[in-house]
Amino acid sequence: MGTTDYDLLWGEATRAGRGRPSGLSRERIVAEAVAIADAEGLHKVSMKHLAERLGSGVMSLYRHVPGKDELVVLMYDSLMTGPLPLPEADHWRDVLRHWGFGVRDLFIAHPWALTVATSERSMGPGEAGWVDTMIGRLTAVGLPAELGLIAVLTVDCYALGAVRPEIGGAEGDTDFFQFLADPAARTRFPNLARLAEPGSATKTAMKDHYEFGLERLLDGLERFIESQH
Amino acid sequence: MGTTDYDLLWGEATRAGRGRPSGLSRERIVAEAVAIADAEGLHKVSMKHLAERLGSGVMSLYRHVPGKDELVVLMYDSLMTGPLPLPEADHWRDVLRHWGFGVRDLFIAHPWALTVATSERSMGPGEAGWVDTMIGRLTAVGLPAELGLIAVLTVDCYALGAVRPEIGGAEGDTDFFQFLADPAARTRFPNLARLAEPGSATKTAMKDHYEFGLERLLDGLERFIESQH
DNA sequence: CTAATTAGCGTACCTCATACGCTAAACTGA
DNA sequence: TCAGTTTAGCGTATGAGGTACGCTAATTAG
């Protein structure tokens, strides 16, 4: 599986030459699949539906993509093709903060990608490019080189876990603690019940939950770097 | 969907009474499904396979569970039924550290659960119980009450994102950067290439990546609390 | 005993992914 | 130009998986 994904992501591009020319291409298929997933959800990406959108037969897709699972892997990495969409910054902390929010924006724009990101996978060329660029930027503004990768991945991991409640708008949090509407639940979970109190400090803090955690993480990295001289 | 999950997770238990007594039960079905997922993976949990294991007809399961998707939601929350398996500690930092490692252990023991955790869902009674207990413990050892929930969830989010590479043993990291075996890739991604150098400091740091990030996050929380007096 | 109630489950249907093999369109070399 | 080669397009068939429907069976309430 790992090997398969590797060959898929890093393998040679299609070599031109003899034979019937292709109307379809891997890029076109992947792009259309991403469009479907963005608009209708990943579960609506079926080979049939995809073929209809592309105006081709279902089995034609298999000439360009080994199968459905592999298509999803390609879809994910395709999100990170192209240059890293991040502003320049003068301090590594700002670079990492932008990265953190950029990752959040990515998964808000493509909610289906979160499932892919947290599944077993290997790193593709798109993701590798972004991470490599990030490390370069960080070291350029003073972050010790040996910390670059681990800093990027740590923030990335946080972002991955913390972005879930951000997806789907602000009502996510409300739904998540829906059970607190029941008085019996508030008795059973007295500490969580604080959330249901009007004007609760915890509740307001939860509003900016994502940013709060990110800043704490950056604080922690800063303290670590200071402690290393 | 949110509403459906809510009713499913928090709804009344089966009321006994008239009618044919049930040999199956929601608990038995969910427990068996978890056993299958642990041993063979989530994709092997099919209604057919599950029914065979339980010695029942496929459609009998639908008397106890609305459908496959709902079953998965129940499977996830069932992991957090029972008491929180965490040692006592005297400092909030130790409590949170244990939580962080506990979450990691949970997902290592039940890798399929990571997909569920990062999908759209509402909080079930099991998870609510654990979080509530955590907040109680944290406040008992001095963490300000209004920080309890956000601290638990922040660590939880980090754990969720960072646990992925930990699943499946140590070879995960190797595979993840497999492409660096190719010299062309090392040229294309010079900053990542550092990983491929023998004796690279980055590489050794990545070994304990999970713990590193967790400690940074705890450092950050500590600094925040200090700054609040 | 009869009616009501609820569990078990066989059958049928629908959606999906995909293996197989044929056809079509190009290129290559004589 | 034509025969051979190569590769794309795709129709058909298969098998797996989820589940709606409705019948049957077991048990309790009156």
Side-chain angles (χ1 to χ4, degrees):
Chain A
M1 258 228 270
T3 311
T4 304
D5 278 2
Y6 174 79
D7 293 340
L8 175 77
L9 287 163
W10 295 92
E12 300 302 310
T14 45
R15 67 235 141 137
R18 306 210 283 190
R20 184 177 182 169
S22 53
L24 288 170
S25 72
R26 176 172 287 188
E27 287 67 33
R28 221 159 67 82
I29 291 171
V30 171
E32 192 66 35
V34 167
I36 294 173
D38 287 349
E40 311 174 53
L42 190 56
H43 65 111
K44 278 297 187 66
V45 178
S46 71
M47 301 308 262
K48 189 177 152 87
H49 189 185
L50 184 52
E52 278 164 7
R53 292 282 205 107
L54 291 163
S56 77
V58 177
M59 293 313 292
S60 307
L61 304 176
Y62 288 88
R63 290 283 176 197
H64 303 270
V65 160
K68 172 76 180 290
D69 292 347
E70 290 83 357
L71 172 62
V72 173
V73 170
L74 291 169
M75 287 169 64
Y76 180 73
D77 198 67
S78 82
L79 298 180
M80 290 168 288
T81 306
L84 182 69
L86 241 52
E88 299 289 338
D90 292 333
H91 193 285
W92 63 261
R93 187 169 172 131
D94 297 322
V95 177
L96 274 179
R97 186 188 294 106
H98 282 140
W99 171 258
F101 283 116
V103 172
R104 186 184 65 163
D105 293 345
L106 180 77
F107 287 112
I108 287 174
H110 312 282
W112 54 269
L114 187 56
T115 314
V116 186
T118 52
S119 65
E120 198 172 351
R121 65 197 172 86
S122 49
M123 191 181 270
E127 189 175 7
W130 279 21
V131 170
D132 192 75
T133 304
M134 270 298 296
I135 300 174
R137 289 205 191 171
L138 286 169
T139 52
V141 292
L143 192 83
E146 72 275 10
L147 285 180
L149 178 60
I150 200 161
V152 173
L153 290 190
T154 300
V155 171
D156 201 54
C157 286
Y158 169 76
L160 224 57
V163 77
R164 175 68 265 176
E166 308 280 309
I167 293 176
E171 88 290 341
D173 281 62
T174 314
D175 279 351
F176 199 59
F177 294 106
Q178 188 182 348
F179 59 93
L180 290 175
D182 178 8
R186 292 203 294 275
T187 308
R188 185 171 166 195
F189 308 112
N191 298 303
L192 283 172
R194 199 182 310 275
L195 259 182
E197 293 165 11
S200 139
T202 301
K203 192 170 187 173
T204 34
M206 289 301 294
K207 278 284 177 203
D208 301 314
H209 165 233
Y210 187 91
E211 184 170 5
F212 176 84
L214 180 56
E215 293 297 341
R216 276 345 107 220
L217 190 54
L218 295 175
D219 280 348
L221 284 167
E222 195 165 329
R223 176 177 282 191
F224 178 77
I225 288 163
E226 287 164 0
S227 77
Q228 304 282 98
H229 295 265
Chain B
M1 258 226 271
T3 312
T4 305
D5 279 0
Y6 174 79
D7 293 340
L8 176 77
L9 287 163
W10 295 91
E12 301 301 311
T14 46
R15 68 234 140 136
R18 304 208 282 189
R20 185 176 179 168
S22 54
L24 288 170
S25 71
R26 175 172 289 188
E27 286 67 32
R28 218 158 70 81
I29 291 172
V30 171
E32 192 65 36
V34 167
I36 294 173
D38 288 348
E40 311 173 55
L42 190 56
H43 65 112
K44 279 298 187 64
V45 178
S46 71
M47 300 308 263
K48 189 178 152 91
H49 190 184
L50 185 51
E52 277 164 6
R53 292 285 204 106
L54 291 163
S56 76
V58 177
M59 293 313 291
S60 308
L61 304 176
Y62 287 87
R63 291 282 178 199
H64 303 270
V65 161
K68 172 76 181 292
D69 292 347
E70 290 84 356
L71 172 62
V72 173
V73 171
L74 291 168
M75 286 168 65
Y76 179 72
D77 197 67
S78 82
L79 298 179
M80 291 167 287
T81 306
L84 182 70
L86 240 53
E88 298 290 337
D90 290 333
H91 193 285
W92 63 262
R93 188 171 171 129
D94 296 322
V95 177
L96 274 180
R97 186 188 294 106
H98 282 140
W99 171 259
F101 283 117
V103 172
R104 186 184 65 163
D105 293 344
L106 180 76
F107 287 112
I108 287 174
H110 311 282
W112 54 270
L114 187 57
T115 315
V116 186
T118 52
S119 66
E120 198 172 352
R121 65 196 171 86
S122 49
M123 189 179 271
E127 189 174 7
W130 279 22
V131 171
D132 193 76
T133 303
M134 271 297 296
I135 299 174
R137 288 203 191 172
L138 286 169
T139 53
V141 292
L143 192 82
E146 73 275 11
L147 286 179
L149 178 60
I150 200 161
V152 173
L153 290 190
T154 301
V155 171
D156 200 54
C157 285
Y158 169 77
L160 223 57
V163 77
R164 175 69 263 174
E166 307 280 308
I167 292 176
E171 90 289 345
D173 280 64
T174 314
D175 280 350
F176 199 58
F177 294 106
Q178 188 182 348
F179 59 92
L180 289 175
D182 179 7
R186 292 201 295 273
T187 308
R188 184 171 166 196
F189 309 111
N191 299 302
L192 283 172
R194 198 183 309 278
L195 258 182
E197 292 164 11
S200 138
T202 301
K203 192 170 187 174
T204 32
M206 289 301 294
K207 278 283 177 204
D208 301 314
H209 165 233
Y210 187 91
E211 184 169 6
F212 177 84
L214 181 56
E215 294 296 342
R216 275 345 107 221
L217 191 54
L218 296 176
D219 279 349
L221 284 168
E222 195 165 328
R223 177 177 282 192
F224 179 77
I225 289 163
E226 287 163 0
S227 77
Q228 305 280 99
H229 298 263

